[in-house]
Amino acid sequence: QVRVVESGGGSVQAGGSLRLSCAVSAATFRPGCVGWFRQPPEKEREGVATIEPGGGSTYYADSVKGRFTISHDNAVSTVYLQMNGLKPEDTATYYCAARNVYRGRCPLPPLVYRTSEYAYWGQGTQVTVSS
């Protein structure tokens, strides 16, 4: 059974930073593509950033380019999202999602931000940015 667990959310003031962690665990599962998504209140879920833990491309939504950085540490099967220069509009529940390496590498945008591309999801972690 694949488990995806996010952590690191919290409340910060505008301009502050947070680092989210996504631990993906399973006996024989290897993620081929891992993505961070977010869902603001009363809005649809949207893609934020994606990465290929095998050492490939990263993609960022235009709204976070230059402020957020996605990275991975395969030794601990964890993907991170470093968020700097946070803005009130970044307030959302942040979700991590993964798909099996057998499905191939991360697709190109905008397909990489389609939620149906990912079979495994975490429970979400709340990020609140106050002005």
Side-chain angles (χ1 to χ4, degrees), residues 89-103:
E89 51 263 44
D90 294 318
T91 295
T93 301
Y94 282 71
Y95 296 89
C96 181
R99 74 179 205 175
N100 198 300
V101 69
Y102 297 113
R103 288 200 60 190

Side-chain angles (χ1 to χ4, degrees), residues 18-125:
L18 284 173
R19 189 177 81 156
L20 305 183
S21 299
C22 171
V24 182
S25 62
T28 59
F29 179 79
R30 286 195 299 144
C33 185
V34 178
W36 281 100
F37 293 74
R38 66 185 181 187
Q39 188 164 14
E42 301 182 357
K43 292 186 178 180
E44 293 189 354
R45 195 168 298 189
E46 61 180 9
V48 175
T50 64
I51 191 168
E52 296 173 349
S57 301
T58 57
Y59 300 109
Y60 295 93
D62 289 342
S63 58
V64 306
K65 280 180 182 176
R67 300 189 298 123
F68 291 11
T69 303
I70 191 170
S71 61
H72 65 89
D73 185 342
N74 287 341
V76 292
S77 299
T78 300
V79 171
Y80 303 98
L81 186 68
Q82 178 66 44
M83 306 186 295
N84 299 328
L86 283 162
K87 304 175 182 180
E89 51 263 44
D90 294 318
T91 295
T93 301
Y94 282 71
Y95 296 89
C96 181
R99 74 179 205 175
N100 198 300
V101 69
Y102 297 113
R103 288 200 60 190
R105 302 173 65 178
C106 288
L108 295 173
L111 193 62
V112 73
Y113 299 128
R114 189 175 296 178
T115 56
S116 59
E117 291 293 320
Y118 303 85
Y120 307 100
W121 290 81
Q123 80 289 349
T125 186

